[in-house]
């Protein structure tokens, strides 16, 4: 599941890499767009897809043609988050937890260290890790059709994506905990007011509006933009790395807990019923 | 003023401890409610009551029956804060300051280290330390009848409850300083917008609304909830401990200052007039 | 360009120092007002004026007559920021960058360490460093006629005034980056909602309204107010000093970059056309 480095075609557009059906990366006028393209599964993310997103980010990082990177989803959902089928082989829970930990660490690490502006274009509902990683994106544009839901505790799990560090700082602990502990679903307007979303655009004009902002950013002097990002991000790296490690260790423990096994069993029972 | 460990009665309800008339602790379906029950004095807190609240928190911490803890007030006020009669024996100001410092450190310390979700249910106006400790509560629900007032400087004093660390982070320094330096009274809606309040409910439906949220939290897998709280809180412990210590040291100095003596004398003159 | 220490005249009013035409400092009833008085140039700040503002702050810091300090602008603008004529002698770009670095470090340092309440009274549009230093002011009052614009990247530059540290904390990174990376112009209402502005007042009542708040603060017990400020600020000093240093080093590099030279050349070409 590795993507080749993006190369621009003749008119500045790059076709998606043919060997990756669910993660599509294209570059146009300095903007790399990484789209989760699995609309029939609400853009839920399998272990392979986590790796492909990291590969696309590494390609964007290394490509001179890429000035800014956008993450978005195909269809109605931004992403339903972790595909729970990742956890369906519960015959060996310890090695499943170890594998998931490796996948998660690498995924979040790629967000923490991404050196160019990283923009989330949240086209629709987001659940779980696509929500928690928003704090690591430099700009977050959202359709007013989007909702934001992090039902960790209900699934016997715990926060990831550095949200345990960043969400209390961005939203204040008292609002962050309604997401991180209680799992209350938030609207786009609520999170715009709370500060996690840069700006909400109407659903029918969302793509046009966010692309205008992204195009403005891609036209600014790129060295100034990247170094400005880095003077903001660099002092937080040690804390973000520690947070990612602490969150992954806790999740590895959670994934092997009775609470999590029961919650996932219940989920699949409901799905079959 | 110590409370016995809470024990549930037959139908999951625990009566208040009989030896404590002003602090009432009861457990029902996993929810410990600690109520300040001194409505005729606007729930002002005496030195004894500070200790009884800590005792109730320690009992909640240690009880397997308790999953979440709620702090609230009886009657119209949440709490008018520190009972200034605590400072009326000003014949020996140095030992008064030392005693108050011990009481305050222990009180705030209990909030910092509380391992289960701690929820403030602010039923009405709050003044002083019941406001400043809100930053240490994981969730804050408020009636729209509540107001929030921290007139430290007018009384010759200074912030406590880790508000000097947390309020600038939650509200931004420019809004926090209107509370912490200027002592401007805030409405519930202002603090919801600013992030210190998770959600404001209408006065006539306040109890029903906040209890619904608390019940939801108490029904979630408890290990996941507690460990999620801890992965959020643990990285802040060193800074919170340092802040509590610095705030208490400054207050011990303030309590022995001319400014504070004059302000408290003026307060009691007005009260008698 | 040094100002003499402020002294009060008979009725508590101090005249501006006669040797400084663009920076006027006056003290009235405990309030020092430092006004940028160069309305015909939109209060743009020359290297000399940076130094004069620092001198006025040092005088306020050292004067017993001063309890709080207000920064404001004469005329319609708060300040258009750095006077780009500071950069017009581009024959020796290395020494220009070194000089500008010294001026900037000292200017921001005076804000970081100011021991008394520092209040920005933003009477109109603000561009660049008068915006970024707002995060270091304890209170920010703004006219609804003000706008806030930090077009660093468009000029090949990068954030200063500790905004790379403070703005993500105050506004959240996702909103801060619309200012710091994208350079989007914000309204006063947007920044009040986001937390950088303590309160917005209507243009026609702005002076009256902010002066009332400042007068309240100046009447509070001064020791309590200053020590409360310091218990808030002191734990951040190491991070603020590091941030100022990192921002200045990056700007010294930026000022010598091709991107910056091109952007400033383009600016002066437009200005002449």
């Amino acid at each position: 599941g590795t993507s080749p480095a993006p190369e621009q075609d003749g008119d500045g557009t790059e076709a998606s890499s043919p060997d990756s059906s669910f993660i599509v990366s294209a570059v146009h006028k300095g903007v790399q767009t990484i789209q989760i393209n699995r609309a029939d599964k609400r853009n839920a993310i399998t272990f392979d897809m986590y790796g492909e997103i990291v590969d696309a980010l590494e390609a964007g990082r290394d490509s001179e043609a890429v000035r800014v990177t956008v993450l978005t989803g195909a269809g109605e959902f931004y992403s339903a988050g972790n595909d729970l089928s990742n956890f369906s082989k519960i015959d060996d829970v310890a090695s499943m937890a170890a594998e998931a930990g490796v996948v998660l660490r690498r995924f979040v690490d790629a967000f923490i260290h991404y050196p160019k502006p990283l923009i989330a274009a949240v086209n629709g509902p987001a659940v779980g890790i696509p929500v928690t990683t928003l704090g690591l994106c430099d700009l977050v544009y959202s359709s007013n059709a989007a909702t934001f839901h992090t039902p960790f505790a209900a699934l016997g799990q715990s926060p990831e994506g550095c949200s345990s560090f960043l969400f209390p700082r961005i939203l204040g602990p008292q609002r962050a905990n309604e997401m991180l502990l209680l799992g209350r679903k938030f609207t786009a307007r609520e999170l715009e007011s709370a500060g996690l979303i840069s700006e909400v655009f109407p659903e029918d004009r969302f793509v046009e509006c966010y692309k205008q902002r992204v195009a403005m950013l891609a036209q600014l002097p790129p060295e100034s933009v990247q170094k400005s990002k880095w003077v903001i991000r660099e002092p937080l790296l040690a804390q973000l790395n520690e947070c990612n490690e602490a969150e992954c260790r806790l999740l590895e423990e959670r994934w092997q807990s009775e609470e999590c096994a029961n919650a996932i069993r219940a989920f699949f029972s409901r799905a079959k019923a």
Side-chain angles (χ1 to χ4, degrees), chain A:
Chain A
T2 61
S3 316
E7 286 172 47
Q8 292 186 290
D9 61 17
D11 65 344
T13 307
E14 185 210 356
S16 66
S17 41
D19 64 332
S20 161
S21 38
F22 295 141
I23 304 300
V24 180
S25 168
V27 182
H28 181 67
K29 294 191 179 171
V31 178
Q32 177 191 31
T33 302
I34 302 176
Q35 188 183 50
I36 308 183
N37 189 24
R38 196 190 178 207
D40 64 324
K41 295 285 184 184
R42 299 179 168 192
N43 295 326
I45 308 171
T46 62
F47 281 171
D48 279 349
M49 290 164 70
Y50 284 111
E52 288 166 19
I53 293 170
V54 174
D55 295 338
L57 287 171
E58 291 181 352
R61 177 194 70 195
D62 296 338
S63 166
E64 298 230 345
V66 173
R67 291 185 168 196
V68 305
T69 295
V70 174
L71 299 169
T72 195
E76 310 248 309
F77 260 67
Y78 181 61
S79 166
N82 193 45
D83 191 321
L84 283 182
S85 74
N86 290 335
F87 294 141
S88 59
K89 306 157 201 161
I90 51 170
D91 38 284
D92 182 4
V93 109
S95 39
M96 179 281 286
E99 184 188 348
V102 170
V103 168
L104 179 62
R105 263 182 195 80
R106 180 170 179 249
F107 184 71
V108 175
D109 197 67
F111 281 72
I112 294 174
H113 294 91
Y114 199 67
K116 300 175 183 179
L118 186 59
I119 297 138
V122 186
N123 55 296
V127 183
I129 192 163
V131 178
T132 56
T133 46
L134 292 178
L136 291 166
C137 296
D138 301 299
L139 294 161
V140 176
Y141 295 114
S142 173
S143 161
N144 65 352
T147 54
F148 300 83
H149 194 198
T150 53
F152 304 122
L155 293 169
Q157 302 184 34
S158 54
E160 84 292 86
C162 294
S163 61
S164 68
F165 175 76
L166 288 170
F167 280 24
R169 292 183 160 224
I170 296 169
L171 308 164
Q174 289 69 34
R175 272 191 300 218
N177 286 329
E178 281 215 309
M179 300 191 79
L180 300 179
L181 298 184
L182 194 55
R184 181 164 82 78
K185 194 186 286 188
F186 278 65
T187 65
R189 290 283 173 210
E190 283 179 305
L191 289 187
E192 183 189 41
S193 154
L196 185 60
I197 293 177
S198 310
E199 198 159 351
V200 175
F201 298 120
E203 187 180 6
D204 58 352
R205 297 180 47 232
F206 174 64
V207 173
E208 168 196 352
C209 287
Y210 93 72
K211 286 197 170 176
Q212 191 187 7
R213 293 293 171 85
V214 170
M216 280 172 56
L217 188 57
Q219 283 156 23
L220 290 171
E223 242 182 53
S224 281
V225 169
Q226 282 185 41
K227 296 203 172 183
S228 293
K229 167 168 179 169
W230 214 242
V231 83
I232 296 168
R233 175 63 55 93
E234 201 275 339
L236 294 171
L237 287 181
Q239 287 169 293
L240 294 172
N241 287 333
E242 273 173 45
C243 178
N244 187 24
E245 182 58 31
E247 287 177 345
C248 288
R249 271 202 312 266
L250 177 52
L251 270 167
E252 285 163 1
E253 180 211 293
R254 293 282 82 212
W255 289 324
Q256 301 177 66
S257 70
E258 268 309 298
E259 283 185 357
C260 186
N262 292 340
I264 288 172
R265 243 191 309 270
F267 177 87
F268 283 110
S269 303
R270 282 196 304 273
K272 282 178 195 160

